[in-house]
Amino acid sequence: MTQKLTPDESRQKFDKIFADLTRSLKIKDELARFWIFILGMFLIVGLWGWIHQINKGLGITGMRDYVSWGMYIGNFVFFVAVSLIGLLISSILHLLHFDWGKPISRVAETVAIAAVALAGLVIVMDMGRPDRFLNIFLHGRFASPIVWDVTVITTYVAISTLLFYLPLIPDLALLRDRLGDDVPKIQKKLYSVLSLGWKGNTRQFEIITHAVRIMLVLIIPVGLSIHTVTSWLFANTLRAGWDSTIFGPYFVSGAFVAGSAAVILVMYVYRQRYDLEEYFTDKSFDWMGKMLVLMCLVYLYFNINEYLVPAYKMRAAEGVHLRELFTGRWSGLFWFAQIGGIFLPVILLLFRYFRRPLPITIIAFITLVASWFKRFIIVIPTLEHPHLPIQNVPEHFVHYTPTRPEIMITLLPFFASAIIITMLAKLFPVVTMWEYAEHSGVDKKTMFEDSEK
Amino acid sequence: MKKKRLIIALMFLSAGFSTIYGQEWVAPESEAAVVNPLPFNNATVREGKAVYEKNCKSCHGDPGKNNPIVLTPPPPDMASEKMLANTDGSIFWKLNTGRGAMPTFKGTITDDQMWQVINFIRKFDPRNAGKLTEEALKKGTLAATINSDSTSLDITADFQGAPLAGVPVFVQVKKAFGMLDIGKVVTDANGKAIFRIPDGTAGNAEGKADFVLTFGDEFEKTQAEVQGIKVAKPVTDNPLARGNVLWSTNDRTSGWLLFAYFFVTGLVWLTILYIVIQITKIKKAGQKN
């Protein structure tokens, strides 16, 4: 809280905040239509590829007996990783009273929801028979990390949605009461239903605060387990490159890097597109930059452990794997992922110049791309070296090369998540209005004076 | 003339290069000069094929199909020019010495068997084309019964009632993914043979085995089966399906694992339920005022 404002100042200030933060709901220009059109086109192409795959089977992908987990699983790990940022920003920063994280907590939750929802879809895309998906609930084996993964992702979707929804309820009431006719009636009806008859009384605020606090604590173990369990899909095997005791924290720290980069990207787009310089300030980018450096350093530490310890011992299979990565067939991608995903942000973001909005966004983009390839590098090279060599197989079974439909299907979740993020920004303010206004000194009574009537 | 000299020079050069870069495996001249003591005929080639399939095929694959196991360097195809350029003596020497992933077979198979394998490989040498007579496949029928105490198979081989004497009969056991060779017997003058079932022959979970008997390749395909013979004790404890195995069926999953899963999941979802109840309270709290 800064300074106490007079009721009139309060009202003026709040009017401005409301006008700024509802701009994303009202914007309807050529660019918006073009953006949706482009995303839609790519989405249709991806869906067409997927239908093709369902008809013809997974044989249309580059996956064969050796490499049976291809880009889809790499994609899956990437989306689960990105979704973890919801946990970091809206929960950990909040509980540690890092106030700069508050305006971006809804951005983080948006990214988290889009990413985790798509992570679930990616898994279905990796199935040759998606119609048998329900079998995992009917006949799943509780000893299998895959069942744990499905459980934990479902749980995380629920928690992320609730954590997005709970602080949104007062905002929904504001939208219900204060928005004019510039949004469709059906949209106003939606706000009215979702705001649950919010009046803004003390009891309601108590309930919200109480519920949010529980969720903020609950999301920490669930968020950590979602990515730890994902890492166990790999680490619970004996394969070279996966058989590691630090895979859980290794994945989680990598996830914070990817997620921070994704949030920076979305922040920048919101800031430019909806003129929200006052909300996503230079200061927040600066903080995000510092946090990204910290996360990269933690990730670097786990990377050193992950590669140096086996490289010191150089056991037969591990040796083959490490040579492939560092100097062999995969070295190009490997070094791109390591340099772009760790070294580049660590070094550049130490300088204040690079923590300004535009430079940091460019760096975040490179980091995000590198993070995707890092997952690719974790999944595929290991599979090319099975413990039991298979005999009499054609050459293309041994080495993995993704096919064109496979690439189309892999890109689909990116466009789908962009559509989800766009839709959420079009329906709901991208910053929690009441929280931000309260922080700027506006009285809660002033905010909800219309609601009480 | 000049051209010829150039070609010869190039050949020497390339040979030199391949020695340096491919680390050519060359037998000593004295060893390479050793001559195969066995005659090159259908019988030795046939024996050689059996030895090859048991000892060599798993790495070198089928001759002429270029389907070796994935290794670096790849095990050469037996029908390749490079392979056939070896003299019999040098293959014999290589089988005895071994190098890298190629083990020595000294002591694993007899010298005779090595020469038989060499004859089998020579079959794919174009220079040997037409040297083996194409034999018409023989015909015969096989019958087998198990003796009273289930320790041996009584085998009868005949052709239209006339006993087939001195014919090898191969015995296999059906396994989950194919057939396992367990031995060979030769019929006596009456076309009969007794095959003692070796101790330790593995059965299925009930300790039973299915035997399949066949003639060699020189016969038309025919087989006799003796099914469901008790050869071992039933398997009561399969170490691969013991209770405390992580990746197992639900009824074999360790209790602590199930408890952990349901306890944690239950706790989290109860909390989520509690939050949903809180959300409904928001509505009530709004109606009161």
Side-chain angles (χ1 to χ4, degrees), chain A residues 66 139-145 147-148 151 154-155 158-159 162 165-166 169 195-199 201 203-204 207-208 210-211 214-215 218 222 236-237 389-393 398, chain B residues 57-62 67-71 245-250 253 257-258 261-262 265 267-269 271-272 274-276 278-289:
Chain A
Y66 276 63
H139 312 289
R141 293 181 174 188
F142 295 109
S144 159
V147 169
W148 310 343
T151 311
T154 320
T155 312
I159 294 180
L162 283 175
Y165 178 55
L166 283 170
I169 296 173
S195 59
L196 302 175
W198 179 268
K199 292 261 168 51
N201 59 37
R203 176 77 191 118
Q204 284 181 321
I207 297 171
I208 290 264
H210 173 64
I214 291 174
M215 292 314 266
L218 185 68
V222 174
N236 277 358
T237 68
I390 312 168
Q391 206 179 351
N392 302 342
V393 290
V398 183
Chain B
K57 188 181 166 175
S58 57
C59 288
H60 288 279
D62 303 303
N67 56 357
I69 198 171
V70 184
L71 280 177
V245 180
L246 191 56
W247 296 75
S248 195
T249 51
N250 284 342
T253 303
L257 203 71
L258 285 178
Y261 174 85
F262 285 107
T265 314
L267 213 62
V268 170
W269 277 95
T271 317
I272 293 177
Y274 173 74
I275 298 297
V276 173
Q278 294 304 304
I279 289 175
T280 58
K281 277 191 189 162
I282 291 177
K283 192 152 199 170
K284 265 185 214 152
Q287 283 157 353
K288 263 179 212 161
N289 292 33

Side-chain angles (χ1 to χ4, degrees), chain B residues 24-280:
Chain B
E24 208 58 41
W25 192 20
V26 186
E29 267 178 43
S30 57
E31 300 288 344
V34 175
V35 177
N36 191 340
L38 297 184
F40 182 71
N41 61 27
N42 286 328
T44 55
V45 168
R46 197 185 310 127
E47 295 293 338
K49 185 183 179 195
V51 179
Y52 180 85
E53 287 185 344
K54 201 167 170 190
N55 297 287
C56 322
K57 188 181 166 175
S58 57
C59 288
H60 288 279
D62 303 303
K65 289 192 180 166
N66 201 11
N67 56 357
I69 198 171
V70 184
L71 280 177
T72 317
D77 188 296
M78 287 301 122
S80 63
E81 258 179 66
K82 190 181 165 194
M83 187 65 215
L84 293 172
N86 285 293
T87 63
D88 286 2
S90 81
I91 301 178
F92 184 74
W93 176 80
K94 287 178 184 180
L95 284 172
N96 272 294
T97 8
R99 186 183 75 156
M102 162 86 183
T104 167
F105 283 89
K106 195 175 185 170
T108 312
I109 57 176
T110 64
D111 285 4
D112 263 1
Q113 285 176 316
M114 290 191 198
W115 291 118
Q116 287 164 353
V117 165
I118 293 167
N119 270 353
F120 170 65
I121 296 168
R122 283 286 168 236
K123 187 184 148 189
F124 302 96
D125 196 331
R127 285 169 295 184
N128 284 338
K131 280 198 188 167
L132 291 178
T133 45
E134 285 287 328
E135 289 171 291
L137 290 177
K138 295 182 196 161
K139 288 176 183 169
T141 46
L142 263 176
T145 51
I146 189 78
N147 74 343
S148 54
D149 55 349
S150 293
T151 52
S152 55
L153 296 163
D154 298 326
I155 302 163
T156 319
D158 63 28
F159 177 58
Q160 294 171 345
L164 293 171
V167 173
V169 176
F170 298 90
V171 186
Q172 296 174 304
V173 178
K174 273 189 192 168
K175 304 297 285 181
F177 297 105
M179 310 293 259
L180 178 71
D181 291 316
I182 56 164
K184 181 181 102 170
V185 277
V186 180
T187 56
D188 60 13
N190 302 322
K192 296 206 180 278
I194 294 173
F195 178 78
R196 239 196 85 74
I197 297 169
D199 291 336
T201 299
N204 57 16
E206 292 153 12
K208 290 179 177 171
D210 297 339
F211 294 93
V212 175
L213 298 97
T214 49
F215 290 125
D217 283 346
E218 72 272 26
F219 276 85
E220 270 185 10
K221 219 175 159 63
T222 173
Q223 67 177 44
E225 289 190 26
V226 183
Q227 288 177 338
I229 305 304
K230 197 153 171 57
V231 290
K233 281 183 187 150
V235 181
T236 46
D237 180 30
N238 180 357
L240 289 176
R242 264 186 210 140
N244 291 347
V245 180
L246 191 56
W247 296 75
S248 195
T249 51
N250 284 342
D251 51 333
R252 288 180 181 280
T253 303
S254 330
W256 64 265
L257 203 71
L258 285 178
F259 172 76
Y261 174 85
F262 285 107
F263 179 73
V264 174
T265 314
L267 213 62
V268 170
W269 277 95
L270 279 179
T271 317
I272 293 177
L273 184 71
Y274 173 74
I275 298 297
V276 173
I277 293 169
Q278 294 304 304
I279 289 175
T280 58

Side-chain angles (χ1 to χ4, degrees), chain A residues 81 227-228 231 241-242 244-257 295 298-307 321 325 334 338 342 374-375 377-378:
Chain A
H227 215 36
T228 308
S231 83
W242 292 352
S244 156
T245 52
I246 62 155
F247 242 42
Y250 175 56
F251 269 42
V252 169
S253 57
F256 288 156
V257 173
M295 293 306 153
V298 175
Y299 193 38
L300 176 65
Y301 169 70
F302 280 110
N303 266 275
I304 291 170
N305 275 279
E306 184 55 31
Y307 292 119
H321 178 69
L325 290 187
F334 173 77
Q338 297 298 78
I342 301 175
K374 174 76 181 174
R375 273 69 194 173
I377 278 295
I378 289 174

